[in-house]
Amino acid sequence: MDNLWNDIKVNLKSSLPSHAYNTWFEPISLVGHSGAELILEVPNQFFYEWIESHYKNHISKTAEEITGKTILVKYTVAPEKTLTLEKDRIVEDQNKPSAHKPNLNRRYTFPNFIEGTNNQFARAAAVSVAKSPGQQTFNPLLIYGGVGLGKTHLLHAIGNYIYNENSGAKIVIASSEKFTLDFISSIQKNKTVDFSRSYRKADVLLIDDIQFFQKKEQTQEQFFHTFNELYQGGKQIVMTSDRLPSEMNGLTDRLLSRFESGLTVDVQPPDFETRVAILMEKAEQNGIDLPYDMVELMATHIKSSVRELESTIIRLLAYSSLSNCEIDFNLVKKVVRERVGNGVHVDISAADIIKRVSETTKVDEKEIVGSSRRMQIAEARQISIYLCREIIGSSLVDIGTQFGGRDHTTILHACRNIEKKIKKDRRINHLVRSLQQDLTFSLI
Ligand code: ADP
Ligand code: MG
């Protein structure tokens, strides 16, 4: 049975995408067997559910293929080792009188924040504040910019850095929404004193999304006092916002002038190189190895925010896990198209395709749509027709019209012919693929 389990793993490894195997099957271990029954241990309940819903009969089928017998597969969930470790650590922390566990997202750190010209200055300011909090010139620090560009990431990175240097520092991090809710509930419960204490005891106050303070006068008033007390005590304040304070409506003047009294830095959407770097990094974090051409395709079309780049990678992973296929150029294209809409292909016309094929094959554009049957010309024509069908998705009749009024059966024949050649003829395969990539890259 031990051997059987090894054989099953080898078999699954060769039949599944590597990341799917590594994620879902590698961590499984054989814990027992009896007769025609295998008992497997999975790391946790989530794992078990995922395998049940996505790979239900994979293991038993493979086992049957190997042994020729019916094999029953049962699962047990491993006792949670990591959780107990985590608990021990928390208990230990509580015993230390100075320990204070701020509500920081551990994943948001400086080392995994990718720097580009779009965020360089903001990052430098954040690092400087983290290294010496409370310095007058950078206090308060306000980071502003559009959605999904890394403001919250930088805010937590500052907190994490300070906490790692000095776990006794009192770091208070909250969204302005939470600040508001805490304030309101303190009024309702007659605990405004507790409220002030919890915010005003901070050595470092990190407030996310201060635009939420707009039109909330009482909360602004509270924040004003908290701000002043901390500021006067030389405590660092860092805030983020999706717009400049001067662009906020319903902000009291005195709060506005406080917000503007320190350093204001912006984060801009990432440029092409930064997008490539971010995609590579996020792919690596998720255990996938994406070839450069796929990364380039994504970076070319997905531009608006880092969050969107991240979710594209996640979608790609999900697709390939769910449909059990390797990540390839077509899958990337499909996901990109889904994200940016069919806009990817909308702008391209038959004329663009003919022009590009002509440039590549050195066959004149007129000859491509003309009637010559010379081999080189006919080939360029058929490739152009094939690309019109693949990239634009035009109908056979439409393509016929574009190519000198040809009959739809001629167009269909051309498409089939190229499809066949792509499989058999390496030169054609390469030529068509590179034209296809060229044409899709040059969009937008
Ligand atoms: P914002 O607060 O500006 O809306 P976030 O900080 O929440 O944006 O960022 C959205 C996601 O993108 C987060 O998962 C974050 O880790 C990631 N992210 C943003 N900028 C970067 C960057 N420069 N390098 C790596 N990841 C980033
Ligand atoms: Mg944010």
Side-chain angles (χ1 to χ4, degrees):
M1 276 295 192
D2 285 329
N3 287 340
L4 173 61
W5 175 236
N6 279 335
D7 290 347
I8 293 175
K9 280 172 84 168
V10 170
N11 200 309
L12 289 171
K13 196 168 184 169
S14 64
S15 64
L16 290 166
S18 52
H19 63 87
Y21 176 80
N22 290 337
T23 313
W24 302 112
F25 294 95
E26 185 61 43
I28 299 179
S29 51
L30 177 69
V31 288
H33 50 78
S34 61
E37 196 174 273
L38 279 179
I39 303 167
L40 302 177
E41 186 180 85
V42 293
N44 55 47
Q45 183 67 20
F46 171 73
F47 228 89
Y48 167 70
E49 282 165 18
W50 184 276
I51 292 196
E52 271 296 288
S53 55
H54 297 99
Y55 300 105
K56 196 164 177 13
N57 297 320
H58 260 71
I59 296 181
S60 55
K61 271 205 197 116
T62 312
E64 279 175 43
E65 273 165 27
I66 296 172
T67 60
K69 287 186 287 187
T70 311
I71 304 280
L72 193 66
V73 178
K74 287 191 175 163
Y75 293 99
T76 85
V77 174
E80 292 217 1
K81 297 182 197 107
T82 44
L83 199 71
T84 31
L85 268 180
E86 191 70 12
K87 268 190 204 139
D88 289 349
R89 207 162 54 80
I90 292 170
V91 171
E92 196 184 297
D93 275 359
Q94 280 167 349
N95 290 339
K96 272 194 252 156
S98 63
H100 166 78
K101 269 198 134 217
N103 215 359
L104 293 163
N105 185 336
R106 299 264 141 190
R107 287 192 311 120
Y108 292 170
T109 61
F110 287 123
N112 62 26
F113 185 83
I114 292 157
E115 193 177 340
T117 44
N118 57 305
N119 59 28
Q120 224 161 29
F121 191 47
R123 183 186 171 279
V127 168
S128 167
V129 159
K131 284 191 173 157
S132 37
Q135 261 182 347
Q136 254 192 347
T137 36
F138 292 174
N139 203 14
L141 174 67
L142 173 63
I143 304 167
Y144 82 97
V147 182
L149 298 180
K151 302 183 296 295
T152 300
H153 190 132
L154 282 176
L155 195 71
H156 283 256
I158 294 174
N160 280 319
Y161 187 98
I162 297 176
Y163 184 71
N164 287 340
E165 291 291 294
N166 169 15
S167 63
K170 292 211 166 33
I171 301 167
V172 175
I173 182 158
S175 61
S176 58
E177 197 169 352
K178 176 157 190 318
F179 185 93
T180 307
L181 291 174
D182 284 353
F183 174 57
I184 294 170
S185 95
S186 79
I187 299 175
Q188 286 165 347
K189 294 180 187 148
N190 258 334
K191 287 192 168 162
T192 43
V193 179
D194 288 357
F195 167 82
S196 321
R197 222 179 271 145
S198 73
Y199 280 92
R200 292 183 198 177
K201 70 173 187 211
D203 293 318
V204 181
L205 177 64
L206 309 169
I207 297 280
D208 209 1
D209 291 320
I210 53 163
Q211 72 274 1
F212 194 79
F213 283 147
Q214 287 177 109
K215 301 192 177 129
K216 298 192 179 62
E217 271 183 36
Q218 280 214 56
T219 313
Q220 283 183 33
E221 177 80 17
Q222 264 306 314
F223 190 66
F224 180 76
H225 293 303
T226 307
F227 186 107
N228 282 347
E229 196 165 319
L230 292 175
Y231 184 78
Q232 275 150 19
K235 306 297 165 67
Q236 179 70 47
I237 301 154
V238 186
M239 302 172 288
T240 73
S241 165
D242 71 354
R243 67 204 77 175
L244 279 170
S246 56
E247 290 165 352
M248 290 185 207
N249 293 321
L251 198 66
T252 57
D253 285 347
R254 57 185 194 164
L255 201 53
L256 176 63
S257 79
R258 286 295 182 280
F259 286 169
E260 289 179 333
S261 63
L263 177 69
T264 301
V265 291
D266 67 336
V267 282
Q268 292 290 331
D271 53 24
F272 179 76
E273 284 75 17
T274 314
R275 296 201 294 277
V276 167
I278 288 170
L279 285 165
M280 300 259 211
E281 169 76 24
K282 304 279 167 183
E284 199 185 310
Q285 280 170 15
N286 285 292
I288 42 175
D289 187 17
L290 285 182
Y292 182 76
D293 59 344
M294 299 187 198
V295 172
E296 187 174 328
L297 179 72
M298 288 189 263
T300 308
H301 296 291
I302 300 190
K303 300 175 175 177
S304 65
S305 80
V306 181
R307 183 168 293 140
E308 233 197 310
L309 291 171
E310 250 180 13
S311 61
T312 307
I313 295 278
I314 304 287
R315 261 198 106 64
L316 203 57
L317 263 176
Y319 254 126
S320 102
S321 287
L322 295 178
S323 53
N324 236 334
C325 56
E326 286 286 356
I327 295 174
D328 62 9
F329 202 78
N330 279 330
L331 185 64
V332 173
K333 221 153 83 177
K334 180 177 155 144
V335 171
V336 168
R337 210 178 291 161
E338 219 176 64
R339 306 247 98 191
V340 294
N342 273 324
V344 177
H345 292 317
V346 154
D347 289 346
I348 202 163
S349 67
D352 296 329
I353 291 178
I354 293 168
K355 182 160 177 269
R356 186 61 64 95
V357 172
S358 161
E359 282 163 8
T360 312
T361 59
K362 310 279 181 269
V363 173
D364 197 80
E365 286 179 47
K366 281 203 197 83
E367 305 231 71
I368 291 182
V369 295
S371 55
S372 164
R373 288 172 181 254
R374 265 194 24 233
M375 211 179 77
Q376 200 197 359
I377 299 174
E379 187 182 283
R381 181 180 307 131
Q382 293 195 336
I383 289 176
S384 308
I385 290 173
Y386 171 83
L387 291 173
C388 285
R389 185 102 174 123
E390 280 292 300
I391 299 181
I392 317 177
S394 318
S395 72
L396 297 171
V397 175
D398 272 356
I399 302 175
T401 319
Q402 302 274 358
F403 287 77
R406 285 182 157 78
D407 184 53
H408 74 274
T409 51
T410 314
I411 301 300
L412 186 61
H413 170 73
C415 293
R416 295 232 168 108
N417 195 25
I418 295 299
E419 272 164 26
K420 243 188 264 156
K421 284 190 177 164
I422 287 175
K423 287 194 193 119
K424 286 192 191 142
D425 184 335
R426 292 187 82 184
R427 181 185 60 88
I428 299 272
N429 182 304
H430 185 75
L431 180 62
V432 173
R433 294 283 163 245
S434 75
L435 277 163
Q436 225 163 2
Q437 280 186 31
D438 263 12
L439 285 157
T440 28
F441 274 124
S442 60
L443 296 167
I444 299 184

